[in-house]
């Protein structure tokens, strides 16, 4: 029989996943007076709002920018404009996003503000963690329910591969991609409703490969006039951006090249993505970047759950069987950041109806 140690803390809510949904939910609950802990297996926060440090540069290899679409996202944009220091402030990157279709760069562009942060898009996640109880490098290996009717999250450190003390909570939020949530719940020694699991099982994702490519500083004079190009009908490309144009003191030209889902599917299970990365660079050079075939270095990132193919029509997916449990994320109500923020907000509202202080 499991007995809660006297020195253990039982939180009101444990949140698995430190992306936009999980962090938004945590902020709302903490403001309302609930005790909350956020767990994430990564060493950083923000989920797909990800920035990588490589060869003295930074590059956004997930979310590309913020655009003022949706009430919650507009509020977040206004808040981020006042961050300190300057490199953490949201800044206008460009008003024009070009399209490449029918084998040419279109003269008609998408004209609206696109915002970035010089220190990287991961700064958005860091902003949302302000004041939260956060535990990183902590993978939830299993879920059980104690005889005292409390969620028990067994934690494994991703740094040392050792077990850590379990996290105990009255209610649970799972704010990670649907397939990962499903694996965790199916393996749990709990009586989660089958219909609940079937709904999660219906959610499918498209993958994406991201190449970060750095070039000699002598190439600065050859940079294109555009900041980013979206591909509409290319065989393998989805997006190319001049990522170094986001940085305050860039030391070399850096491009981020992202694949479409069909190309990513071909290489999804490959252990070495070098060939895939070279193909993406070659295609970008052949279409819109002549003379940029040979970078000084490249890094490739695999987004297995890049984009939700068909989100649910729910802000969040909740049940009280066997205990309060909510799944949240942009896969619930729309494949964009506004949906993720809304999902986190609605999750917090639902939990406040279930847990009385």
């Amino acid at each position: 029989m499991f007995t809660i140690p006297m020195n253990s803390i039982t939180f009101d809510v444990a949140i698995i996943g430190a992306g936009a949904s999980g962090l938004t939910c945590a902020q709302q609950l903490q403001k309302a007076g609930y005790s909350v802990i956020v767990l994430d297996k990564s060493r950083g926060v923000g989920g797909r709002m990800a920035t990588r440090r490589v060869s003295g540069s930074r590059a956004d290899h997930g979310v590309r920018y913020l655009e003022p679409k949706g009430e919650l996202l507009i509020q977040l944009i206004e808040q981020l404009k006042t961050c300190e220091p300057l490199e953490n402030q949201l800044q206008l990157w460009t008003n024009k996003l070009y399209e490449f279709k029918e084998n040419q760069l279109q003269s008609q562009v998408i004209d609206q503000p696109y915002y970035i942060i010089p220190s990287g898009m991961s700064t958005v996640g860091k902003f949302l963690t302000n004041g939260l109880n956060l535990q990183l490098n902590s993978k939830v290996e299993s879920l059980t329910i104690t005889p005292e009717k409390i969620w028990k999250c067994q934690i494994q450190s991703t740094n040392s591969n050792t077990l850590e003390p379990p996290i105990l909570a009255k209610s649970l939020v799972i704010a990670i991609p649907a397939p990962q949530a499903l694996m965790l719940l199916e393996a749990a020694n709990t009586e989660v409703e089958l219909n609940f699991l079937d709904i999660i099982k219906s959610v499918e994702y498209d993958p994406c490969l991201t190449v970060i490519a750095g070039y000699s500083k002598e190439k600065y004079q050859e940079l294109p006039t555009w900041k980013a190009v979206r591909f509409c009908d290319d065989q393998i490309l989805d997006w190319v951006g001049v990522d170094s144009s986001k940085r305050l003191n860039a030391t070399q030209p850096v491009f981020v090249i992202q694949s479409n889902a069909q190309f990513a599917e071909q290489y999804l299970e490959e252990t070495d993505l070098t060939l895939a990365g070279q193909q993406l660079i070659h295609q970008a050079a052949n279409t819109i970047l002549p003379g940029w075939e040979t970078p000084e270095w490249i890094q490739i990132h695999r987004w297995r759950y890049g984009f939700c193919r068909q989100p649910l029509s729910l802000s969040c997916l909740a049940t009280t069987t066997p205990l309060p449990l909510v799944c949240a994320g942009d896969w619930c109500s729309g494949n964009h950041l506004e949906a993720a923020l809304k999902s986190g907000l609605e999750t917090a509202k639902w939990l406040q109806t279930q847990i009385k202080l």
Side-chain angles (χ1 to χ4, degrees):
M1 178 176 176
F2 176 81
T3 302
I4 302 172
M6 293 299 294
N7 60 350
S8 289
I9 298 174
T10 300
F11 295 92
D12 292 319
V13 185
I15 299 175
I16 303 172
S21 294
L23 295 175
T24 300
C25 178
Q27 287 286 2
Q28 294 298 317
L29 289 171
Q30 187 155 292
K31 287 177 185 176
Y34 293 85
S35 60
V36 184
I37 186 168
V38 181
L39 307 167
D40 200 285
K41 65 180 181 180
S42 301
R43 61 183 179 183
V45 297
R48 282 172 288 181
M49 294 183 293
T51 304
R52 181 170 291 186
R53 294 174 182 261
V54 52
S55 297
S57 302
R58 296 179 183 180
D60 298 323
H61 59 289
V63 175
R64 306 151 181 171
Y65 43 71
L66 299 184
E67 47 187 327
K69 290 185 176 180
E71 180 182 354
L72 296 176
L73 189 49
I74 289 173
Q75 291 176 7
L76 179 60
I77 284 173
E78 291 306 311
Q79 293 171 344
L80 289 167
K81 286 180 179 178
T82 61
C83 287
E84 296 292 343
L86 180 62
E87 69 169 7
N88 290 341
Q89 281 185 15
L90 198 74
Q91 299 179 20
L92 178 66
W93 182 39
T94 181
N95 279 316
K96 294 181 178 180
L97 183 66
Y98 288 79
E99 288 189 342
F100 189 89
K101 59 183 177 181
E102 299 175 355
N103 209 32
Q104 63 179 343
L105 193 63
Q106 298 293 314
S107 57
Q108 185 177 4
V109 299
I110 303 170
D111 197 348
Q112 68 167 50
Y114 297 91
Y115 294 97
I116 55 86
I117 298 180
S119 57
M121 294 304 296
S122 61
T123 305
V124 180
K126 294 172 185 175
F127 173 80
L128 292 173
T129 64
N130 186 32
L132 294 180
N133 187 0
L134 185 67
Q135 188 170 312
L136 298 178
N137 299 304
S138 298
K139 181 181 180 181
V140 178
E141 281 290 303
S142 64
L143 295 172
T144 54
I145 292 177
T146 72
E148 293 82 4
K149 300 299 181 183
I150 292 173
W151 285 105
K152 177 187 174 186
C153 303
Q154 185 61 61
I155 307 298
Q156 183 179 40
S157 169
T158 54
N159 278 337
S160 60
N161 290 323
T162 57
L163 291 179
E164 298 178 349
I167 298 298
L168 306 173
K170 300 173 185 176
S171 58
L172 184 67
V173 175
I174 303 181
I176 55 180
Q180 294 177 328
L182 182 64
M183 286 188 286
L184 196 56
L185 289 171
E186 283 186 328
N189 185 23
T190 62
E191 296 179 0
V192 179
E193 295 176 287
L194 289 177
N195 183 55
F196 189 87
L197 297 178
D198 287 340
I199 293 173
I200 301 174
K201 195 177 296 184
S202 71
V203 179
E204 297 180 346
Y205 281 77
D206 286 325
C208 175
L209 299 182
T210 298
V211 177
I212 307 168
Y215 295 80
S216 166
K217 62 182 180 181
E218 284 74 24
K219 297 282 286 182
Y220 264 124
Q221 59 186 1
E222 301 176 34
L223 281 172
T225 55
W226 47 262
K227 298 288 182 65
V229 175
R230 179 181 296 162
F231 289 77
C232 300
D233 51 14
D234 192 84
Q235 290 183 342
I236 67 174
L237 293 173
D238 181 70
W239 191 82
V240 175
V242 188
D243 196 88
S244 51
S245 65
K246 299 177 179 181
R247 312 302 158 211
L248 294 178
N249 299 295
T251 57
Q252 65 181 135
V254 176
F255 287 85
V256 167
I257 304 167
Q258 293 185 321
S259 79
N260 60 29
Q262 292 75 23
F263 182 77
E265 283 282 2
Q266 298 176 38
Y267 290 91
L268 195 56
E269 305 304 330
E270 295 289 332
T271 54
D272 187 351
L273 294 173
T274 303
L275 178 60
Q278 291 171 343
Q279 289 186 60
L280 289 166
I281 292 169
H282 180 72
Q283 185 74 348
N286 280 346
T287 52
I288 57 171
L289 290 173
W292 294 82
E293 295 89 348
T294 312
E296 288 188 336
W297 52 263
I298 68 170
Q299 281 204 6
I300 310 165
H301 184 82
R302 181 193 341 251
W303 292 103
R304 184 175 294 275
Y305 308 114
F307 302 97
C308 184
R309 193 174 301 160
Q310 189 170 353
L312 304 176
S313 57
L314 307 165
S315 293
C316 60
L317 183 62
T319 183
T320 55
T321 305
L323 290 174
L325 166 67
V326 195
C327 288
D330 59 2
W331 56 271
C332 287
S333 60
N335 193 17
H336 46 80
L337 185 54
E338 174 73 12
L341 297 172
K342 182 179 179 182
S343 182
L345 184 64
E346 294 301 319
T347 296
K349 288 180 179 178
W350 184 85
L351 284 169
Q352 289 177 66
T353 68
Q354 302 298 314
I355 313 169
K356 303 301 181 183
L357 293 178

